[in-house]
Amino acid sequence: MKALVVRLDSFGDVILAGPAVRAVAAHAGHVTMVCGPRGEPAARLLPGVDAVLVWEAPWEGVDPPPVEAADIDGTVRRLRAGAYDVALVLTSFHQSPLPTALLLRMAGVARIGADSTDHPGRLLDVRHRRRPGRHEAEAALDTAAALGFTPAPGDDGRLRILPTPDTVGLTGDGPYVVVHPGASAPARAWSPDRCAEAVTLLSDAGHRVVVTGRPEERPLTRYVSGETGVDLGGRTDPRRLAGVLRGADVLVSGNTGPAHLAAAVGTPVVSLFAPVVPAGRWGPYGVPAILLGDQRAACAGSRARNCPVPGHPCLDEVTAQDVVRAVQKLTKECA
């Protein structure tokens, strides 16, 4: 059986799909992951993925491409050429799987399943309804099970990635804490000043601190690292970042992809979590974690990319001392 697993949005979303991908792989002879450009690096880290098909859908992301007939037709041809037997379409709770299901149906995929609030007509063979309060990773597993893909015996359903490289050449010897100051949306980021203060206080408390970030975040990581942190801004691709996180005692991060990557390598997380999306659905999954941030703030549930409340109080009322205490609590509990 040839199977598709579709998750078209961002890096962290694809990491959260990992347990569902493994469930499909336990029953299918070949699994192709269909994802967008932002999710591709994550798809290539997941166990159970045999091939990756990259397509930027015009209904995903903050700046989606235009709808072009040639692009849609080409994608349908690529999918049809794969002669897939079944497809699992994974979406967040606020997204519809039906545009994707229509393309898959046009491509001749015989059996399609997804979680859908909207009536699917003939687009879905299995219409799953999400159970309230489920984490995104659990909801994906539930949808896979509804389509007949249950986890392999002994699979605990946690996040997991392929083995990571040795990154001691980047981090240096000895224990360390990672601070990741960037975020995929400004509303989910702790302020640079707070991050820089946390690096200084963590160093004063005896922790060696490594600061990570994307190439375009180098000015941010340089500032946050200050005189004491190890600045790895722009020096880690996703696999090397996973290796850096695997070696860390704790990650300090907002609600962004590296928090899920840390969970996938078993690293505890101090999560500076802005409540623009629910922490119960998007918090670090399956690892010890401490959630910081006012989850009842006025922005709660807004899905805002930019904070709608002056002063960003949900996160910036968290102090550097709060972070140091949370790091020390996790390092003590997980020692």
Side-chain angles (χ1 to χ4, degrees):
M1 175 174 38
K2 293 184 69 176
L4 290 168
V5 179
V6 184
R7 183 82 208 212
L8 292 173
D9 33 15
S10 66
F11 183 95
D13 302 303
V14 174
I15 292 292
L16 291 175
V21 170
R22 298 198 307 269
V24 174
H27 300 267
H30 187 279
V31 176
T32 295
M33 186 94 191
V34 183
C35 60
R38 294 178 301 150
E40 178 186 3
R44 298 193 185 281
L45 293 175
L46 295 181
V49 173
D50 298 298
V52 178
L53 192 158
V54 182
W55 179 56
E56 190 171 13
W59 52 83
E60 288 292 347
V62 297
D63 186 24
V67 178
E68 296 182 352
D71 178 50
I72 299 295
D73 292 344
T75 301
V76 170
R77 284 196 299 271
R78 290 169 71 192
L79 292 167
R80 186 181 294 117
Y84 299 104
D85 302 294
V86 62
L88 171 66
V89 182
L90 299 175
T91 54
S92 298
F93 70 98
H94 60 278
Q95 298 167 327
S96 172
L98 299 185
T100 302
L102 176 60
L103 260 65
L104 296 172
R105 194 63 87 199
M106 293 169 63
V109 178
R111 192 161 183 263
I112 304 168
D115 172 39
S116 183
T117 300
D118 299 320
H119 179 65
R122 294 185 180 272
L123 298 182
L124 297 179
D125 300 287
V126 175
R127 177 196 185 187
H128 178 68
R129 294 175 184 259
R130 179 185 293 246
R131 291 158 54 189
R134 297 291 273 172
H135 192 280
E136 290 294 307
E138 296 168 338
L141 266 177
D142 292 345
T143 309
L147 195 55
F149 297 120
T150 53
D155 191 326
D156 59 10
R158 293 191 178 189
L159 307 184
R160 195 181 306 160
I161 61 169
L162 297 170
T164 61
D166 186 343
T167 53
V168 69
L170 289 170
T171 63
D173 289 321
Y176 57 90
V177 170
V178 172
V179 173
H180 187 88
S184 55
R188 301 181 188 183
W190 205 29
S191 75
D193 288 343
R194 284 275 197 262
C195 290
E197 185 183 2
V199 169
T200 298
L201 292 185
L202 284 166
S203 299
D204 290 346
H207 299 281
R208 199 159 57 89
V209 184
V210 171
V211 181
T212 57
R214 301 188 306 272
E216 61 270 27
E217 294 172 333
R218 282 175 178 148
L220 172 64
T221 62
R222 189 179 307 117
Y223 174 72
V224 169
S225 298
E227 300 298 321
T228 58
V230 177
D231 181 10
L232 294 185
R235 298 176 60 193
T236 55
D237 60 18
R239 286 190 72 247
R240 288 187 179 87
L241 177 59
V244 169
L245 294 174
R246 179 177 55 85
D249 292 332
V250 175
L251 167 69
V252 178
S253 172
N255 174 29
T256 193
H260 303 306
L261 192 58
V265 295
T267 296
V269 180
V270 173
S271 178
L272 291 146
F273 201 99
V276 290
V277 294
R281 288 174 173 155
W282 295 101
Y285 185 71
V287 294
I290 292 177
L291 204 71
L292 299 177
D294 181 3
Q295 300 306 297
R296 296 174 294 180
C299 63
S302 66
R303 300 204 300 269
R305 289 187 55 79
N306 293 285
C307 183
V309 182
H312 202 192
C314 69
L315 285 188
D316 279 357
E317 288 183 1
V318 178
T319 68
Q321 290 88 345
D322 293 331
V323 166
V324 172
R325 284 191 290 268
V327 167
Q328 291 177 327
K329 187 173 189 295
L330 283 176
T331 53
K332 182 178 180 180
E333 291 176 352
C334 300

